[in-house]
Amino acid sequence: MKALVLEEYNHFAYKDVPDPQITPEDVLVRVKACGICGSDVHGMDGRSGRRIPPVIMGHEAAGVIAEVGTKVTGWQEGDRVTFDSTIYCGKCHFCRRGLINLCDDRRVLGVSCDAYRQAGAFAEYVAVPRHILYRLPEGLSFEQAAMVEPLSVAFHAVGRAPITLNDTAVVVGAGMIGLFVIQSLRAAGCGHIIAVDLDQSRLDLARKLGADEGLNSDAVDVVAHVLKRTASRGADIAFEVVGLTPTLKLATQCLRKGGALTLIGNLSPTTEFLLQAAVTRELTIYGSCASCGEYAACLDMIARGAINVDALISAVVPLAEGASWFERLYKGEPGLMKVILTP
């Protein structure tokens, strides 16, 4: 089969590789669409330590079942499917508690690190365990289905936060996940949503997708604005979707006493933290990792039009052109959001 392989850092090759081999519990999926994730872009130069070459990346995908393992039931060739990016064991302490995203033996498609190597979906075929499959609703395109993974990350994060109807929420970072957080907050009943970013085009899109305000933190005193908007109290909840010290501080400072901060971004493995503010104002801090069974709900919401994914798809291009699009994303080309590759 053909695949896009990261052969060495910052160098991709579109080449022939062996077809994946399936176990009796697996299915072979003919990939129809696979999105380039920000984690792939950040990982291609080696800085994350989770894309050690050679590796076939890609974990935001959808396709058609081409073959089923001998022990697989309930699925057949031709079924239209997507699948979780996380391969979980289903047997450990955390899986038995329903916390599949915290599985002790968790593996992520398209990740190659010191602990494991798991081939991803930037290829004509990918092998996945049957228990991470989800059937596509009628009328949902493969490109739309490939967006369910980033949506599920946002959906999970919003589910972690203690949201009350009519809350004021601040979302720091209006990239792909931040924009899905905004849409999910609107669906959850937030009263006023404030998006914060440095990119005006992203803020404009945030307004179109459900944010009441879009603040450029280079041009506006965000904390002062939030305090003025909330009778000097601060926001009820905040979401940090970047993962750097300045954005973490900003999200923390926007909160009222007793407010809740949900951390999603992790560009940096360590950051400074306003410890005294968190303690003396009794803030609640939630970490949010990947997703945990939200795929079915997310697929339904996309199919019903409750969540707009089409507005975030910048381009749908052949897998053979993937290297050049990775380069454009890596350089931060203005206006580019999600690029979907089609084998």
Side-chain angles (χ1 to χ4, degrees), residues 50-111:
R50 294 179 57 78
R51 304 293 192 279
I52 300 173
V55 60
I56 300 171
M57 296 192 290
H59 57 267
E60 304 175 352
V64 176
I65 293 178
E67 183 182 349
V68 297
T70 56
K71 293 185 179 180
V72 172
T73 59
W75 300 96
Q76 60 185 3
E77 293 180 20
D79 286 345
R80 301 170 70 249
V81 297
T82 186
F83 37 85
D84 203 321
S85 61
T86 298
I87 299 174
Y88 53 90
C89 72
K91 301 173 183 178
C92 71
H93 170 81
F94 297 100
C95 283
R96 291 198 304 271
R97 292 172 64 90
L99 303 173
I100 57 176
N101 58 324
L102 304 181
C103 172
D104 282 332
D105 195 30
R106 178 175 182 261
R107 300 165 72 91
V108 179
L109 288 167
V111 166

Side-chain angles (χ1 to χ4, degrees), residues 77-204:
E77 293 180 20
D79 286 345
R80 301 170 70 249
V81 297
T82 186
F83 37 85
D84 203 321
S85 61
T86 298
I87 299 174
Y88 53 90
C89 72
K91 301 173 183 178
C92 71
H93 170 81
F94 297 100
C95 283
R96 291 198 304 271
R97 292 172 64 90
L99 303 173
I100 57 176
N101 58 324
L102 304 181
C103 172
D104 282 332
D105 195 30
R106 178 175 182 261
R107 300 165 72 91
V108 179
L109 288 167
V111 166
S112 171
C113 56
D114 290 334
Y116 65 85
R117 294 191 167 218
Q118 186 70 46
F122 288 140
E124 291 183 274
Y125 296 94
V126 63
V128 299
R130 64 176 174 182
H131 66 273
I132 69 170
L133 288 176
Y134 292 87
R135 201 177 304 276
L136 301 191
E138 288 293 329
L140 195 70
S141 71
F142 292 115
E143 291 79 14
Q144 290 171 320
M147 298 289 280
V148 73
E149 196 275 345
L151 173 58
S152 73
V153 171
F155 204 71
H156 178 67
V158 170
R160 295 273 292 151
I163 299 172
T164 301
L165 289 175
N166 208 38
D167 271 353
T168 294
V170 173
V171 181
V172 181
M176 172 67 60
I177 303 299
L179 292 169
F180 278 141
V181 167
I182 288 165
Q183 292 194 65
S184 300
L185 286 170
R186 180 58 67 206
C190 265
H192 195 82
I193 302 170
I194 300 171
V196 181
D197 204 284
L198 296 173
D199 186 323
Q200 189 58 47
S201 65
R202 290 185 174 187
L203 293 171
D204 293 341

